[in-house]
Amino acid sequence: MNGQNFRKKIDQLWRELTTAVDQINRSDNEIVMRAEEILMETDSSIRQLKDILRQYKFPDWSEEIYFFKNTKPKFVSIYIYYSKVLSIEASKPYADPEALRSYYENERAHLLYFYNEQRDFISYYRRKSSYLDKKYFVRFKFDFKLKLSPELYSYDEEFSTSHDHIVSQIMANDLLDQYLTNKIDSKDRKENSFENSKNLEWTAPKVALVELLYALHQTKCFNGGHSDLAEIFRWAENSLNINLGNYHKTLSEIRLRKTERTKFLSLLQHNFDQYLNDLDI
């Protein structure tokens, strides 16, 4: 397998996983059932990722470092995140809102132990440092003078480095921190949200908004192009109080248009051009 096919297969696997996670989260099932289903999907994807890696030999250290510092952790972080969400939600007490708030605050406090325990490496990772990458993210290069995970002895050395799992934990815990913060603050946000402003409502067709959001995503308009498509759609739905349904299916319908496929984008351009022309008069 050459490098282009290797990267293409991984990109396809990631798209399939994020699409599956988004579709599961759009169901009406409770979070416990959704988390269990997502864990099964993610486990399958990680196994496929491992099989893809077996068929490929990295041409140099830089590509191997990138895989174990960036590619593998984003898959594993989803598994870790939903494992923790499942554990938290399956064990939460049936209690009044204040007791639940305290429960979530206690779970969030547990994250501090990890951040304190891995303080030095987290600083290295967040500063996007690279001077120790050959020690951290190349296989068979374990340096026992470094702080290693106690579970390292049981890792698959063909599919693991000394620190790729810690990167996965950082990514997962950042997501979990946001999840727990949302749970803790949800009541206050509901009371204060848009308190002094009028909600905006999307009144054009839903397909128009889907067309617009896909275009914005492809133009890398959010977070420098690092936002997932599902994240963008969730933001739009929450902000505009709208349910866009299965937007993947809507995209397929847009692709099958017999005349102009980007009707809404063309309408935007036409109307704005007309507005500018009117200002010039």
Side-chain angles (χ1 to χ4, degrees):
M1 183 189 305
N2 60 37
Q4 184 177 2
N5 287 338
F6 177 70
R7 290 185 291 274
K8 185 177 180 180
K9 285 188 174 184
I10 290 176
D11 288 344
Q12 177 64 26
L13 187 63
W14 177 247
R15 284 194 299 271
E16 291 172 354
L17 176 59
T18 54
T19 298
V21 170
D22 181 59
Q23 289 178 340
I24 292 168
N25 275 327
R26 285 171 172 273
S27 73
D28 295 328
N29 294 332
E30 295 294 326
I31 181 60
V32 170
M33 295 180 63
R34 284 187 277 125
E36 289 176 342
E37 194 173 348
I38 288 171
L39 286 174
M40 289 189 287
E41 290 285 346
T42 310
D43 177 70
S44 175
S45 293
I46 294 172
R47 291 175 185 273
Q48 291 178 64
L49 181 66
K50 189 174 182 180
D51 289 337
I52 292 171
L53 181 61
R54 284 200 188 102
Q55 304 170 44
Y56 184 66
K57 183 176 181 180
F58 294 114
D60 51 49
W61 278 350
S62 63
E63 191 171 349
E64 181 170 1
I65 287 169
Y66 184 86
F67 178 86
F68 286 104
K69 190 176 184 179
N70 298 280
T71 304
K72 180 190 170 188
K74 68 181 183 181
F75 283 85
V76 177
S77 66
I78 293 180
Y79 190 90
I80 296 173
Y81 170 66
Y82 280 100
S83 293
K84 292 184 176 183
V85 169
L86 175 60
S87 176
I88 290 169
E89 294 296 337
S91 303
K92 75 178 180 182
Y94 289 97
D96 61 77
E98 285 304 315
L100 279 176
R101 185 194 297 267
S102 177
Y103 172 76
Y104 287 123
E105 286 175 343
N106 185 56
E107 290 294 335
R108 188 167 181 261
H110 291 164
L111 296 177
L112 294 178
Y113 175 80
F114 170 79
Y115 290 127
N116 288 329
E117 183 73 11
Q118 299 293 341
R119 184 186 300 109
D120 292 340
F121 178 75
I122 290 173
S123 175
Y124 174 90
Y125 174 74
R126 294 207 193 283
R127 287 186 290 113
K128 302 186 184 300
S129 301
S130 59
Y131 60 92
L132 289 176
D133 279 0
K134 285 185 180 179
K135 291 180 180 291
Y136 289 150
F137 302 111
V138 174
R139 292 168 296 179
F140 317 113
K141 294 286 184 181
F142 300 157
D143 185 345
F144 289 95
K145 293 180 182 178
L146 298 174
K147 193 172 187 178
L148 302 177
S149 169
E151 297 89 6
L152 187 62
Y153 74 92
S154 63
Y155 287 179
D156 182 347
E157 60 184 10
E158 293 283 349
F159 193 55
S160 301
T161 66
S162 64
H163 284 69
D164 69 84
H165 190 71
I166 301 177
V167 173
S168 301
Q169 289 179 300
I170 293 171
M171 296 170 70
N173 284 345
D174 285 349
L175 291 173
L176 187 63
D177 182 56
Q178 186 61 55
Y179 176 85
L180 293 171
T181 299
N182 289 342
K183 287 290 186 180
I184 294 166
D185 297 340
S186 60
K187 182 178 180 181
D188 294 335
R189 285 207 314 277
K190 287 178 181 177
E191 292 174 353
N192 298 325
S193 178
F194 306 113
E195 188 173 289
N196 298 313
S197 64
K198 182 179 179 181
N199 290 344
L200 292 176
E201 180 182 355
W202 181 267
T203 55
K206 290 183 180 181
V207 65
L209 182 55
V210 171
E211 185 179 325
L212 175 63
L213 292 174
Y214 266 104
L216 292 173
H217 174 62
Q218 290 302 312
T219 315
K220 305 185 187 308
C221 293
F222 300 99
N223 296 341
H226 297 295
S227 293
D228 288 335
L229 187 64
E231 182 182 1
I232 294 170
F233 271 84
R234 282 196 296 270
W235 165 79
E237 288 180 321
N238 291 334
S239 300
L240 300 173
N241 193 27
I242 188 173
N243 183 355
L244 293 172
N246 188 344
Y247 53 84
H248 304 286
K249 182 180 178 182
T250 304
L251 179 65
S252 298
E253 294 170 354
I254 292 173
R255 291 176 59 198
L256 292 174
R257 286 173 177 169
K258 293 183 179 180
T259 54
E260 190 174 21
R261 293 201 286 189
T262 56
K263 290 192 297 185
F264 184 64
L265 298 180
S266 297
L267 178 63
L268 290 178
Q269 182 179 4
H270 171 78
N271 288 344
F272 190 55
D273 281 340
Q274 185 63 53
Y275 174 72
L276 295 177
N277 290 336
D278 291 343
L279 290 177
D280 292 336
I281 297 175

